[in-house]
Amino acid sequence: KTADVAKGKQIAEQVCAACHGADGNSVASANPTLAGQHPAYLYAQLQAFKAGVRKNPIMMGMAAPLSEDDMRNVAAYFGSQSVKPREASDKSQMDLGRQIYRSGNPLTRVPACMACHGPAGKGIPVQFPRLGSQHAAYVLKQLNDFKAGTERKNQTMAEIASRMSDAEMKAVAEYISGL
Ligand code: HEM
Ligand code: HEM
């Protein structure tokens, strides 16, 4: 069944725009940009919020009233919007950030992020989300959430985050925000 982008746009404008922007480019750094994200990934996250598997209190409330079709439609709408490219705000983090993103840290067995998220941060549909131009503060929170395993569980990302230092997470989050 194909998604109805026009119906998705309606939901986005009425419910999600306040935090994620009407076109999916959010302003506040705690709210992720959804524009250009793979629809299958957005849909899977909405299902996880609705099922209470990804335990973010705000988004659990937002996903609760959405039907399967609503989630598919709104995911298709945000995925079809284009990301506004941004620049990293803290340029001092670029060298370490780029190194982690492109090469990982062989000493602590942190893999290169680009292996799964792509050299330009576009991700690889269906499984691997796009990261490019995402807010650094949001990315950093996700890495800490994966490491802690309480709000958000994902085995691959939990193992990777648990091997990273705070400095590495901060630097790679800054680098990603400018990708
Ligand atoms: C995260 C969709 C409404 C605040 C997310 C994510 C999706 C999403 C798919 C996960 C993104 C990712 O993993 O990259 C939606 C939809 C909405 C909606 C479809 C409307 C039906 C809102 C509203 C707010 C909000 C109104 C603010 C009151 C947030 C926050 C996060 C988030 C803070 C990050 C959660 C975390 O830290 O894990 N949203 N959202 N959202 N959303 Fe929404
Ligand atoms: C999700 C960062 C390496 C697979 C994510 C997210 C972030 C992230 C921030 C959440 C995106 C969002 O909420 O929108 C990183 C960083 C890496 C790295 C900084 C390098 C240090 C990898 C590698 C793989 C991978 C090497 C594959 C082996 C995934 C998958 C998800 C994900 C499957 C989706 C998890 C889910 O469905 O909840 N990554 N990643 N990542 N990453 Fe990575």
Side-chain angles (χ1 to χ4, degrees), residues 29-82:
S29 62
N31 305 338
T33 278
L34 306 178
Q37 185 57 274
H38 313 308
Y41 169 79
L42 293 175
Y43 174 67
Q45 297 308 309
L46 289 169
Q47 283 187 313
F49 288 128
K50 187 167 169 129
V53 176
R54 182 171 169 184
K55 300 183 200 306
N56 181 263
I58 299 172
M59 278 309 304
M60 285 166 75
M62 292 296 152
L66 301 179
S67 69
E68 288 290 313
D69 280 351
D70 290 341
M71 293 194 280
R72 213 169 269 125
N73 295 343
V74 79
Y77 168 71
F78 280 126
S80 73
Q81 299 302 109
S82 31

Coordinates of all heavy atoms in Angstrom, one line a residue, residues 29-82:
S29 N 17.5 22.5 19.2 CA 18.5 21.4 19.0 C 18.1 20.1 19.7 O 18.7 19.1 19.4 CB 19.8 21.9 19.5 OG 19.8 22.1 20.9
A30 N 17.1 20.1 20.6 CA 16.7 18.8 21.2 C 15.7 18.1 20.3 O 15.5 16.9 20.5 CB 16.0 19.1 22.6
N31 N 15.1 18.8 19.4 CA 14.1 18.2 18.5 C 14.8 17.8 17.2 O 15.3 18.7 16.5 CB 13.0 19.1 18.2 CG 12.3 19.7 19.5 OD1 12.4 19.0 20.5 ND2 11.7 20.8 19.4
P32 N 14.8 16.5 16.8 CA 15.5 16.1 15.6 C 14.9 16.7 14.3 O 13.7 16.9 14.2 CB 15.4 14.6 15.6 CG 14.3 14.3 16.5 CD 14.2 15.4 17.5
T33 N 15.8 17.0 13.4 CA 15.3 17.3 12.0 C 14.8 16.0 11.4 O 15.5 14.9 11.5 CB 16.5 17.9 11.2 OG1 16.5 19.3 11.5 CG2 16.3 17.7 9.7
L34 N 13.7 16.0 10.8 CA 13.1 14.7 10.2 C 13.1 14.8 8.7 O 13.0 13.8 8.0 CB 11.6 14.5 10.7 CG 11.4 14.5 12.2 CD1 9.9 14.4 12.5 CD2 12.2 13.4 12.9
A35 N 13.4 16.0 8.1 CA 13.4 16.2 6.7 C 14.5 15.3 6.0 O 15.6 15.2 6.5 CB 13.7 17.6 6.3
G36 N 14.1 14.6 5.0 CA 15.0 13.8 4.2 C 15.4 12.5 4.9 O 16.2 11.7 4.3
Q37 N 14.8 12.2 6.0 CA 15.1 10.9 6.7 C 14.4 9.8 5.9 O 13.3 10.0 5.4 CB 14.7 11.0 8.2 CG 15.0 9.8 9.0 CD 16.5 9.4 9.0 OE1 17.0 8.7 8.1 NE2 17.2 9.9 10.0
H38 N 14.9 8.6 5.9 CA 14.3 7.5 5.3 C 12.9 7.2 5.9 O 12.9 7.0 7.1 CB 15.2 6.2 5.3 CG 16.6 6.5 5.0 ND1 17.0 7.1 3.8 CD2 17.7 6.2 5.7 CE1 18.3 7.2 3.8 NE2 18.8 6.7 4.9
P39 N 11.9 7.2 5.1 CA 10.5 7.0 5.6 C 10.4 5.7 6.5 O 9.8 5.7 7.5 CB 9.6 6.9 4.4 CG 10.3 7.8 3.4 CD 11.8 7.5 3.6
A40 N 11.1 4.6 6.0 CA 11.0 3.4 6.7 C 11.6 3.5 8.1 O 11.1 2.9 9.1 CB 11.7 2.2 6.0
Y41 N 12.6 4.3 8.3 CA 13.2 4.5 9.6 C 12.3 5.3 10.5 O 12.1 5.0 11.6 CB 14.6 5.2 9.4 CG 15.1 5.7 10.8 CD1 15.8 4.8 11.7 CD2 15.0 7.0 11.1 CE1 16.2 5.3 12.9 CE2 15.5 7.5 12.4 CZ 16.1 6.6 13.2 OH 16.5 7.1 14.5
L42 N 11.7 6.4 9.9 CA 10.8 7.3 10.7 C 9.6 6.4 11.2 O 9.2 6.5 12.3 CB 10.3 8.5 9.8 CG 11.4 9.5 9.4 CD1 10.7 10.5 8.5 CD2 11.9 10.2 10.7
Y43 N 9.1 5.6 10.3 CA 7.9 4.8 10.6 C 8.3 3.8 11.7 O 7.5 3.7 12.7 CB 7.5 4.0 9.3 CG 6.4 3.0 9.5 CD1 5.1 3.4 9.9 CD2 6.7 1.6 9.4 CE1 4.1 2.4 10.1 CE2 5.7 0.7 9.6 CZ 4.4 1.1 9.9 OH 3.5 0.1 10.1
A44 N 9.4 3.2 11.6 CA 9.9 2.3 12.7 C 10.0 3.0 14.0 O 9.7 2.4 15.1 CB 11.2 1.6 12.3
Q45 N 10.5 4.2 14.0 CA 10.7 4.9 15.3 C 9.3 5.3 15.9 O 9.1 5.2 17.1 CB 11.5 6.2 15.1 CG 13.0 5.9 14.7 CD 13.7 4.9 15.5 OE1 13.7 5.0 16.8 NE2 14.3 3.9 14.9
L46 N 8.4 5.7 15.0 CA 7.0 6.0 15.5 C 6.4 4.7 16.1 O 5.8 4.8 17.2 CB 6.2 6.5 14.4 CG 6.6 8.0 14.0 CD1 5.8 8.4 12.7 CD2 6.3 9.0 15.1
Q47 N 6.6 3.6 15.5 CA 6.1 2.3 16.0 C 6.7 2.0 17.4 O 6.0 1.6 18.3 CB 6.3 1.2 15.1 CG 5.4 1.1 13.9 CD 5.6 -0.2 13.1 OE1 6.8 -0.5 12.8 NE2 4.6 -0.8 12.7
A48 N 8.0 2.3 17.5 CA 8.7 2.0 18.7 C 8.2 2.9 19.9 O 8.1 2.5 21.0 CB 10.2 2.2 18.5
F49 N 8.0 4.2 19.5 CA 7.4 5.1 20.6 C 6.0 4.6 21.0 O 5.7 4.6 22.2 CB 7.3 6.5 20.0 CG 8.6 7.3 19.8 CD1 8.9 7.9 18.6 CD2 9.5 7.4 20.8 CE1 10.0 8.6 18.4 CE2 10.7 8.2 20.6 CZ 10.9 8.8 19.4
K50 N 5.2 4.3 20.0 CA 3.8 3.9 20.3 C 3.8 2.6 21.1 O 3.0 2.4 22.0 CB 3.1 3.6 19.0 CG 1.6 3.4 19.2 CD 0.8 3.5 17.9 CE -0.6 2.9 18.1 NZ -1.7 3.8 17.7
A51 N 4.7 1.7 20.8 CA 4.8 0.4 21.6 C 5.5 0.6 22.9 O 5.6 -0.3 23.8 CB 5.5 -0.6 20.8
G52 N 6.1 1.8 23.2 CA 6.8 2.0 24.4 C 8.2 1.4 24.5 O 8.7 1.2 25.5
V53 N 8.7 1.0 23.3 CA 10.0 0.4 23.3 C 11.1 1.5 23.3 O 12.1 1.3 23.9 CB 10.2 -0.5 22.0 CG1 11.6 -1.1 21.9 CG2 9.1 -1.6 22.0
R54 N 10.8 2.6 22.6 CA 11.7 3.7 22.7 C 11.0 4.7 23.6 O 9.9 5.2 23.3 CB 11.9 4.4 21.3 CG 12.8 5.6 21.3 CD 13.3 6.1 20.0 NE 13.9 7.4 20.1 CZ 14.3 8.1 19.0 NH1 14.2 7.6 17.8 NH2 14.9 9.3 19.2
K55 N 11.5 4.8 24.8 CA 10.8 5.5 25.9 C 11.0 6.9 26.0 O 11.5 7.4 27.1 CB 11.2 4.8 27.2 CG 10.8 3.3 27.2 CD 11.2 2.7 28.6 CE 11.4 1.2 28.6 NZ 10.2 0.4 28.0
N56 N 10.7 7.7 25.0 CA 10.8 9.2 25.2 C 9.4 9.7 25.5 O 8.4 9.5 24.8 CB 11.3 9.9 23.9 CG 11.3 11.4 24.1 OD1 10.4 12.1 23.7 ND2 12.4 11.8 24.7
P57 N 9.2 10.3 26.7 CA 7.9 10.6 27.2 C 7.1 11.5 26.2 O 5.9 11.3 26.0 CB 8.1 11.4 28.5 CG 9.5 11.0 28.9 CD 10.3 10.7 27.7
I58 N 7.7 12.5 25.6 CA 7.0 13.4 24.7 C 6.5 12.6 23.5 O 5.3 12.7 23.2 CB 7.9 14.6 24.2 CG1 8.4 15.4 25.4 CG2 7.2 15.4 23.2 CD1 9.4 16.5 25.1
M59 N 7.4 11.9 22.9 CA 7.1 11.2 21.6 C 6.1 10.0 21.9 O 5.4 9.6 21.0 CB 8.3 10.8 20.9 CG 8.9 11.9 20.0 SD 7.7 12.8 19.0 CE 7.1 11.4 18.0
M60 N 6.2 9.4 23.1 CA 5.2 8.3 23.3 C 3.8 8.9 23.3 O 2.9 8.3 22.8 CB 5.5 7.7 24.7 CG 6.8 6.8 24.6 SD 7.4 6.3 26.2 CE 6.2 5.1 26.7
G61 N 3.7 10.1 23.9 CA 2.4 10.8 23.8 C 1.9 11.2 22.4 O 0.8 11.1 22.1
M62 N 2.9 11.6 21.6 CA 2.6 12.0 20.3 C 2.2 10.8 19.4 O 1.3 10.9 18.5 CB 3.8 12.7 19.6 CG 4.1 14.0 20.2 SD 2.8 15.2 20.0 CE 3.0 16.2 21.4
A63 N 2.9 9.7 19.6 CA 2.6 8.5 18.7 C 1.3 7.8 19.1 O 0.7 7.1 18.3 CB 3.8 7.6 18.8
A64 N 1.0 7.9 20.4 CA -0.2 7.1 20.9 C -1.4 7.2 20.0 O -2.0 6.1 19.7 CB -0.5 7.5 22.3
P65 N -1.9 8.4 19.6 CA -3.1 8.5 18.9 C -3.0 8.2 17.4 O -4.0 8.1 16.6 CB -3.6 9.9 19.1 CG -2.3 10.7 19.3 CD -1.4 9.7 20.0
L66 N -1.8 8.0 16.9 CA -1.6 7.8 15.4 C -1.9 6.3 15.0 O -1.5 5.4 15.7 CB -0.1 8.1 15.0 CG 0.4 9.5 15.3 CD1 1.9 9.7 14.9 CD2 -0.5 10.6 14.6
S67 N -2.6 6.2 13.9 CA -2.9 4.8 13.4 C -1.7 4.4 12.5 O -0.8 5.2 12.2 CB -4.1 4.9 12.5 OG -3.8 5.6 11.3
E68 N -1.7 3.1 12.1 CA -0.6 2.6 11.3 C -0.5 3.5 10.0 O 0.6 3.8 9.5 CB -0.9 1.2 10.9 CG -0.7 0.2 12.0 CD 0.8 0.0 12.4 OE1 1.6 -0.1 11.4 OE2 1.1 0.1 13.6
D69 N -1.7 3.8 9.4 CA -1.7 4.6 8.2 C -1.1 6.0 8.5 O -0.4 6.6 7.7 CB -3.1 4.7 7.6 CG -3.5 3.5 6.8 OD1 -2.6 2.6 6.6 OD2 -4.7 3.3 6.4
D70 N -1.6 6.6 9.6 CA -1.1 8.0 10.0 C 0.5 8.0 10.0 O 1.1 8.9 9.5 CB -1.6 8.4 11.4 CG -3.1 8.7 11.4 OD1 -3.7 8.9 10.3 OD2 -3.6 8.7 12.5
M71 N 1.0 6.9 10.7 CA 2.5 6.9 10.8 C 3.2 6.7 9.5 O 4.2 7.3 9.2 CB 2.8 5.7 11.8 CG 2.4 6.0 13.2 SD 3.1 4.9 14.4 CE 2.1 3.4 14.2
R72 N 2.6 5.9 8.6 CA 3.2 5.7 7.3 C 3.1 7.0 6.5 O 4.1 7.3 5.8 CB 2.4 4.5 6.6 CG 3.3 3.7 5.7 CD 2.6 2.5 5.2 NE 2.8 1.3 6.1 CZ 1.9 0.6 6.6 NH1 0.6 0.9 6.5 NH2 2.2 -0.4 7.4
N73 N 2.0 7.7 6.6 CA 1.8 8.9 5.8 C 2.7 10.0 6.3 O 3.3 10.7 5.5 CB 0.3 9.3 5.9 CG -0.6 8.3 5.2 OD1 -0.2 7.5 4.4 ND2 -1.9 8.4 5.5
V74 N 2.8 10.2 7.6 CA 3.6 11.3 8.1 C 5.1 11.0 7.9 O 5.9 11.9 7.6 CB 3.2 11.7 9.6 CG1 3.8 10.7 10.6 CG2 3.6 13.1 9.9
A75 N 5.4 9.8 7.9 CA 6.8 9.4 7.7 C 7.2 9.7 6.2 O 8.3 10.2 5.9 CB 7.1 7.9 8.0
A76 N 6.2 9.4 5.3 CA 6.5 9.6 3.9 C 6.6 11.1 3.6 O 7.4 11.5 2.8 CB 5.3 9.0 3.1
Y77 N 5.7 11.9 4.3 CA 5.8 13.4 4.1 C 7.1 13.9 4.5 O 7.8 14.6 3.8 CB 4.6 14.1 4.9 CG 4.8 15.6 4.9 CD1 4.7 16.3 3.7 CD2 5.3 16.2 6.0 CE1 5.0 17.7 3.7 CE2 5.5 17.6 6.0 CZ 5.4 18.3 4.9 OH 5.7 19.7 4.9
F78 N 7.5 13.6 5.8 CA 8.8 14.2 6.3 C 10.0 13.7 5.4 O 10.9 14.5 5.1 CB 9.0 13.9 7.8 CG 8.2 14.8 8.7 CD1 7.4 14.3 9.7 CD2 8.4 16.2 8.6 CE1 6.7 15.2 10.5 CE2 7.7 17.1 9.4 CZ 6.8 16.6 10.4
G79 N 9.9 12.4 5.1 CA 11.0 11.9 4.2 C 11.1 12.5 2.9 O 12.2 12.6 2.3
S80 N 10.0 13.1 2.4 CA 10.1 13.7 1.0 C 10.5 15.2 1.1 O 10.7 15.8 0.0 CB 8.7 13.7 0.4 OG 7.8 14.6 1.1
Q81 N 10.7 15.7 2.3 CA 11.2 17.1 2.4 C 12.7 17.2 2.4 O 13.4 16.2 2.7 CB 10.7 17.7 3.8 CG 9.2 17.7 3.9 CD 8.5 18.5 2.8 OE1 7.9 17.9 1.9 NE2 8.7 19.8 2.8
S82 N 13.2 18.4 1.9 CA 14.7 18.4 1.9 C 15.3 19.1 3.1 O 14.7 20.0 3.7 CB 15.2 19.1 0.6 OG 14.3 20.0 0.1

